[in-house]
């Protein structure tokens, strides 16, 4: 069975641009969460979606948005990119919400802002 | 506040046991996790423990949980060079948010 898949694997953008990252959860998983991992740090929680509704949001500006589709895949959008947005963006899926089911991670999208 | 703390580095010899320690803050956390991250890769779920358990063993991995002190540890028996990686401790809090530590970098010397 396929694990969590993310696309693209790498992306280079310039300041001020917009980016869309994609995630397909493990088959049967209804929850998708997004995390930002800056080099040398642990992942920081951005969003959780469960059954197509936002269930939680971390301490990130409104430039960050996400959505979940009927097939449970998800997109993370970041507008007006800043140099500080350079990071590894990780998607995780679980059968239920993070509080009652362990999360499984994809390999991430490495975003570089020039 | 929410904070998961880990020591940053651990160096062991091949064949020895490794013990990675972690302290967390939310006493209501349901799950506590250990993830492994190799260079350039995502996070691999190694093991997890329910908050109502004291210990969990899974092959070479042993997790110990001390709820009173909010202390979690991961013991890797017979550590191999392939175990060299960053290990993250994490707790689930607030019903939806997973909080990660900064990671412990394990170096295994042959």
């Amino acid at each position: 069975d396929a694990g969590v898949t993310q696309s693209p694997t790498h992306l280079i953008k310039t300041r001020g641009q917009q980016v869309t990252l994609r995630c397909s959860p493990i088959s049967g998983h209804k929850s998708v969460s997004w995390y930002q991992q800056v080099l040398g740090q642990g992942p920081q929680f951005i969003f959780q979606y469960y059954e197509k509704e936002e269930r939680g949001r971390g301490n990130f500006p409104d430039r960050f948005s996400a959505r979940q589709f009927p097939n449970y895949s998800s997109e993370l959008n970041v507008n007006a990119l800043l140099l500080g947005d350079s990071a590894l963006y990780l998607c995780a899926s679980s059968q239920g919400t993070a509080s009652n089911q362990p999360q499984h991670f994809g390999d991430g999208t490495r975003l570089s802002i020039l | 506040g929410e904070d998961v703390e880990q020591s940053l580095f651990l160096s062991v010899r091949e064949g020895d046991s490794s013990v990675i320690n972690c302290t967390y803050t939310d006493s209501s956390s349901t799950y506590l996790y250990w993830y492994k991250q190799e260079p350039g890769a995502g996070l691999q779920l190694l093991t997890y423990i329910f908050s109502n358990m004291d210990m969990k063993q899974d092959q070479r991995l042993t997790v110990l949980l001390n709820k009173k002190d909010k202390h979690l540890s991961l013991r890797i028996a017979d550590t191999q060079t392939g175990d060299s990686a960053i290990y993250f401790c994490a707790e689930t809090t607030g019903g939806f948010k997973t909080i990660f530590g900064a990671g412990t970098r394990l170096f295994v010397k042959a």
Side-chain angles (χ1 to χ4, degrees), chain B residues 28-56:
Chain B
S28 66
S29 289
T30 312
Y31 279 82
L32 294 143
Y33 301 91
W34 285 104
Y35 286 90
K36 176 183 179 183
Q37 187 175 38
E38 297 185 72
L43 273 68
Q44 174 194 353
L45 178 63
L46 280 180
T47 187
Y48 59 94
I49 189 168
F50 290 100
S51 57
N52 63 356
M53 296 170 65
D54 296 325
M55 186 184 84
K56 180 178 180 181

Side-chain angles (χ1 to χ4, degrees), chain A residues 33 35 37 40-43 45 48 55-57 88 90 97-107 110, chain B residues 30-31 33 35 37 40-45 48 50 88 92 94-103 105:
Chain A
S33 297
Y35 294 81
Q37 186 180 20
Q41 297 181 18
F45 172 78
Q48 185 190 85
R55 295 302 179 98
R57 172 186 283 256
L88 179 67
L90 295 162
T97 61
S99 64
N100 58 25
Q101 296 288 340
Q103 298 187 328
H104 299 266
F105 283 78
D107 285 337
R110 188 162 299 279
Chain B
T30 312
Y31 279 82
Y33 301 91
Y35 286 90
Q37 187 175 38
L43 273 68
Q44 174 194 353
L45 178 63
Y48 59 94
F50 290 100
F88 290 96
T92 300
F96 56 84
K97 183 191 295 188
T98 302
I99 307 295
F100 288 82
R105 285 142 187 83

Side-chain angles (χ1 to χ4, degrees), chain A residues 27-99:
Chain A
S27 178
H29 285 194
K30 298 181 178 180
S31 174
V32 169
S33 297
W34 287 95
Y35 294 81
Q36 180 195 64
Q37 186 180 20
V38 174
L39 194 63
Q41 297 181 18
Q44 298 290 316
F45 172 78
I46 309 175
F47 287 110
Q48 185 190 85
Y49 277 77
Y50 177 68
E51 288 283 15
K52 301 177 283 292
E53 291 188 4
E54 182 183 304
R55 295 302 179 98
R57 172 186 283 256
N59 188 24
F60 280 80
D62 291 344
R63 299 184 296 108
F64 289 76
S65 64
R67 55 181 175 168
Q68 187 177 31
F69 298 99
N71 65 353
Y72 302 109
S73 67
S74 178
E75 286 182 352
L76 175 70
N77 296 286
V78 187
N79 294 322
L81 287 165
L82 303 173
L83 292 178
D85 295 331
S86 294
L88 179 67
Y89 288 84
L90 295 162
C91 173
S93 76
S94 57
Q95 289 183 321
T97 61
S99 64

Side-chain angles (χ1 to χ4, degrees), chain B residues 9-21 34 60-64 73-81 83-85 87 104-109:
Chain B
F9 299 98
L10 177 64
S11 180
V12 300
R13 291 192 181 278
E14 191 174 23
D16 288 350
S17 292
S18 306
V19 179
I20 302 172
N21 295 300
W34 285 104
R60 292 192 298 124
L61 305 178
T62 302
V63 178
L64 295 177
S73 69
L74 173 69
R75 178 177 180 269
I76 305 173
D78 187 25
T79 311
Q80 302 297 308
T81 55
D83 294 324
S84 292
Y87 291 81
T104 299
R105 285 142 187 83
L106 175 63
F107 299 95
V108 182
K109 296 175 286 188

